C-alpha cells in the first residue's frame, strides 16, 4: 500500500526498528490497514540480537525468517563462567538446548540483517504503508490520535503504537511515566573474527564489572557485549583495533584463539526503565518505548517482540469483533498481558547484575550456590532454561508460531 492509500489507516506504528517493523507486518498480514512511520536502521549499526525460540517462531509465522535465516547462527550451548576472581567463585554451568529436546535455544543475527528481512516482508504487504519520514508531534484525541510529520503531512488513526525508543515521543504525548535507573556500568559492543570455532556456543564470563558475553555469528565470527566501568570503557573505545583485539583475547582466555576486530564499535551506558502503564490515550508502547533492559541474558529485543505479538493479537481480535482497536478495554488488556513478563525479567536481570558488582560475601555465596544448584539439579536447570526462552504465562499466540 502506498502512502497515499494510507490516508486513513486503522493503526499508525511509529518507529521502523525491528519492533516497529514486526508490529506493522503482523497487523498488515492480518489485513489491518497500517501506516509505519520511521527511518530504517543505519547500515553502520553493528549490534546483534540473540533471537530466542519464541521469536524465531513468530518471525517464521510472519514470513520473515526465510529472508534472513542464512545470516543467523544457532545458539546450541550457553556457558556461564565465573571470572570474578573472588573468594567464593561459582562453578561453570553449561546449558544445552538438546537437554530440552531442541536443536537450538535461538539464533544470533546482526540487527541490520533482521531489519532488512523485515523491510523486505513489509514491502510485500498491500495493507501496509511505509513513510520514510520523521514524527514531529503526536496529539491524542477522544476518538483518534493525530500525527504530524516533518514533511508537513498530518495523518490520524484510532490507535498509535509507539516503537520509537527510550526517548519516546509517543510515551510523552500519552503522559505515561517512565521509572528509570542508571547503572555505573558501560557496555562495549563489537563484532569480531576468530581463529577457532565457537561450536555454536555462547560464553558469558561473569566479571567484577559485569558480563563479558561472546555470542556466535555465522562462520568464525562472534559478537561481543563487554560490560565495564566508565573509565575502562573510555580506554577500550579509544584503543586501536589491534590493541582492542588483544584485550578481548586476554579477557576471553583465548577460548576462540586469535581475535580480529571488525570495523565499527559502540559504547553506551547501562540503563533500565519501565513505563507505567504500557498504554494510555489510544497510544500503546512497545519495545524500548515501554521498557529498557540492560544487555544481559538476551531479553531486551525478545521482550519487545512479545510486546508486538501481544498488541497485534489484541488489535486483530478487536477489529474482527467490530470493536475500536484504541478502546480503553483493549489497552487495559495489553497492560495485563505484558506487565508481569516485563517486571519479572527486569527484576531478574537487575539482581544478576547487582550480584556481580557486590563485594558482600553472603551475596557472592548466594550467587555461587545458585549456579552450583543449576549445574547439579537437572529439573531445576531445565525449568530455568524453559522460562528463559519463553514466559510461562500470557505468551502471545504468535510466539507459538500460530497464525492469527
Amino acid at each position: 500500500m502506498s502512502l497515499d492509500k494510507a490516508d486513513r489507516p486503522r493503526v499508525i506504528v511509529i518507529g521502523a526498528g525491528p519492533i516497529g517493523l514486526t508490529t506493522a507486518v503482523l497487523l498488515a498480514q492480518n489485513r489491518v490497514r497500517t501506516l509505519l512511520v520511521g527511518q530504517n536502521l543505519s547500515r553502520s549499526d553493528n549490534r546483534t540480537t540473540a533471537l530466542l525460540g519464541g521469536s524465531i517462531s513468530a518471525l517464521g509465522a510472519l514470513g520473515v525468517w526465510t529472508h534472513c535465516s542464512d545470516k543467523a547462527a544457532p545458539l546450541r550451548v550457553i556457558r556461564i563462567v565465573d571470572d570474578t576472581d573472588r573468594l567464593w567463585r561459582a562453578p561453570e554451568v553449561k546449558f544445552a538446548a538438546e537437554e530440552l529436546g531442541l536443536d537450538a535455544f535461538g539464533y544470533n543475527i546482526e540487527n541490520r540483517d533482521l531489519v532488512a528481512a523485515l523491510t523486505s516482508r513489509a514491502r510485500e504487504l498491500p495493507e501496509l504503508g511505509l513513510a520514510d519520514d520523521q514524527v514531529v508531534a503526536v496529539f491524542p484525541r477522544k476518538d483518534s490520535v493525530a500525527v504530524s510529520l516533518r514533511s508537513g503531512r498530518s495523518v490520524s488513526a484510532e490507535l498509535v503504537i509507539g516503537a520509537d525508543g527510550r526517548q519516546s515521543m509517543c510515551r510523552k504525548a500519552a503522559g505515561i511515566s517512565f521509572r528509570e535507573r542508571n547503572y555505573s556500568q558501560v557496555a562495549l559492543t563489537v563484532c569480531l573474527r576468530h581463529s577457532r570455532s565457537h561450536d555454536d556456543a555462547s560464553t558469558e564470563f561473569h566479571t567484577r564489572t559485569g558480563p563479558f558475553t561472546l555470542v556466535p555469528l555465522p562462520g568464525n565470527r562472534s559478537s561481543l557485549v563487554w560490560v565495564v566501568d566508565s573509565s575502562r570503557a573510555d580506554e577500550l573505545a579509544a584503543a586501536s583495533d589491534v590493541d582492542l583485539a588483544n584485550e578481548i583475547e586476554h579477557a576471553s582466555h583465548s577460548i576462540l584463539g586469535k581475535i580480529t576486530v571488525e570495523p565499527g564499535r559502540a559504547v553506551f551506558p547501562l540503563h533500565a526503565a519501565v513505563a507505567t502503564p504500557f498504554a494510555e490515550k489510544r497510544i500503546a508502547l512497545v519495545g524500548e518505548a515501554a521498557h529498557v533492559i540492560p544487555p544481559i541474558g538476551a531479553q531486551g529485543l525478545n521482550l519487545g517482540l512479545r510486546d508486538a505479538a501481544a498488541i497485534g493479537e489484541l488489535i486483530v481480535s478487536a477489529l474482527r469483533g467490530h470493536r475500536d482497536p484504541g478502546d480503553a478495554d483493549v489497552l487495559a488488556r495489553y497492560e495485563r498481558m505484558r506487565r508481569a513478563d516485563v517486571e519479572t525479567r527486569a527484576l531478574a536481570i537487575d539482581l544478576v547484575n547487582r550480584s556481580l558488582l557486590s563485594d558482600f560475601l553472603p551475596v557472592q555465596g548466594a550467587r555461587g550456590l545458585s549456579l552450583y544448584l543449576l549445574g547439579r539439579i537437572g529439573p531445576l536447570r531445565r525449568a530455568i532454561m524453559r522460562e528463559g526462552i519463553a514466559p510461562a504465562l500470557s505468551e502471545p499466540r504468535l510466539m507459538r508460531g500460530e497464525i492469527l
Side-chain angles (χ1 to χ4, degrees):
M1 180 172 66
S2 69
L3 180 57
D4 289 340
K5 293 179 182 178
D7 286 345
R8 299 186 62 184
R10 304 300 299 268
V11 179
I12 298 172
V13 179
I14 298 176
I19 307 303
L21 278 161
T22 299
T23 309
V25 166
L26 169 57
L27 294 173
Q29 181 169 289
N30 285 279
R31 300 183 181 279
V32 178
R33 292 198 312 277
T34 304
L35 175 64
L36 175 66
V37 183
Q39 297 171 322
N40 273 351
L41 186 75
S42 168
R43 290 297 299 176
S44 63
D45 190 304
N46 74 328
R47 291 173 297 172
T48 69
T49 295
L51 296 167
L52 301 178
S55 297
I56 299 298
S57 297
L59 294 173
L62 294 176
V64 174
W65 191 237
T66 55
H67 290 284
C68 60
S69 60
D70 61 330
K71 296 180 175 63
L75 307 177
R76 296 193 167 96
V77 175
I78 297 173
R79 299 169 59 216
I80 298 178
V81 180
D82 190 333
D83 198 25
T84 58
D85 196 28
R86 287 178 170 140
L87 178 62
W88 288 357
R89 294 180 61 186
E92 179 179 323
V93 179
K94 182 180 292 186
F95 302 95
E98 65 179 4
E99 193 173 349
L100 297 180
L102 302 174
D103 179 60
F105 291 116
Y107 290 78
N108 193 37
I109 187 170
E110 293 183 68
N111 284 7
R112 56 194 175 192
D113 290 326
L114 177 59
V115 166
L118 283 160
T119 303
S120 178
R121 177 60 179 144
R123 289 171 176 157
E124 297 172 353
L125 297 168
E127 296 291 336
L128 179 54
L130 303 173
D132 184 9
D133 209 333
Q134 185 176 351
V135 174
V136 295
V138 178
F139 302 103
R141 298 170 178 168
K142 182 179 179 180
D143 57 0
S144 66
V145 181
V147 177
S148 298
L149 307 180
R150 184 168 296 279
S151 62
R153 189 181 182 88
S154 181
V155 291
S156 64
E158 295 156 87
L159 175 67
V160 161
I161 298 176
D164 49 345
R166 63 186 65 187
Q167 301 300 325
S168 173
M169 183 181 297
C170 293
R171 188 181 63 243
K172 294 170 185 174
I176 294 173
S177 65
F178 208 41
R179 187 175 72 250
E180 301 182 70
R181 179 190 298 117
N182 292 315
Y183 294 93
S184 60
Q185 301 149 286
V186 176
L188 168 75
T189 62
V190 67
C191 292
L192 46 92
R193 296 183 180 274
H194 38 82
S195 60
R196 296 177 185 165
S197 173
H198 48 55
D199 294 324
D200 301 331
S202 175
T203 302
E204 183 172 297
F205 291 94
H206 285 182
T207 78
R208 286 175 176 266
T209 61
F212 172 101
T213 307
L214 293 160
V215 190
L217 285 170
N220 277 12
R221 299 178 64 233
S222 293
S223 60
L224 169 66
V225 178
W226 192 354
V227 178
V228 294
D229 58 41
S230 58
S231 60
R232 178 67 166 143
D234 291 341
E235 179 185 331
L236 293 171
S240 68
D241 286 351
V242 172
D243 288 342
L244 179 58
N246 289 335
E247 293 281 0
I248 293 170
E249 186 174 340
H250 175 74
S252 64
H253 301 277
S254 300
I255 62 169
L256 296 178
K258 184 68 175 176
I259 299 293
T260 303
V261 172
E262 295 184 354
R265 64 183 82 163
V267 175
F268 55 93
L270 257 63
H271 178 73
V274 178
T276 304
F278 292 145
E280 190 75 87
K281 298 179 181 178
R282 294 185 174 271
I283 295 173
L285 307 177
V286 295
E288 289 199 339
H291 44 76
V292 179
I293 306 292
I296 300 171
Q299 294 299 319
L301 194 137
N302 288 282
L303 274 174
L305 290 176
R306 289 201 289 277
D307 296 341
I311 192 63
E313 181 177 320
L314 291 170
I315 292 168
V316 171
S317 176
L319 291 174
R320 287 176 179 170
H322 305 288
R323 292 179 287 121
D324 183 345
D327 186 78
D329 179 62
V330 175
L331 302 187
R333 289 180 64 193
Y334 174 61
E335 167 74 15
R336 290 193 297 271
M337 284 184 71
R338 297 302 303 134
R339 178 61 57 183
D341 185 24
V342 170
E343 293 280 8
T344 55
R345 288 170 196 273
L347 176 60
I349 290 169
D350 181 64
L351 289 175
V352 169
N353 190 43
R354 288 179 184 275
S355 74
L356 291 176
L357 301 180
S358 177
D359 287 321
F360 190 44
L361 281 178
V363 172
Q364 296 174 25
R367 176 179 159 274
L369 178 60
S370 298
L371 289 173
Y372 172 81
L373 294 175
L374 282 176
R376 290 300 184 95
I377 303 175
L380 175 62
R381 182 174 60 256
R382 289 187 286 274
I384 293 295
M385 286 192 287
R386 290 189 186 97
E387 183 61 28
I389 60 176
L393 299 173
S394 300
E395 184 179 27
R397 292 166 55 192
L398 185 70
M399 308 308 286
R400 300 192 295 268
E402 298 178 21
I403 297 175
L404 303 184

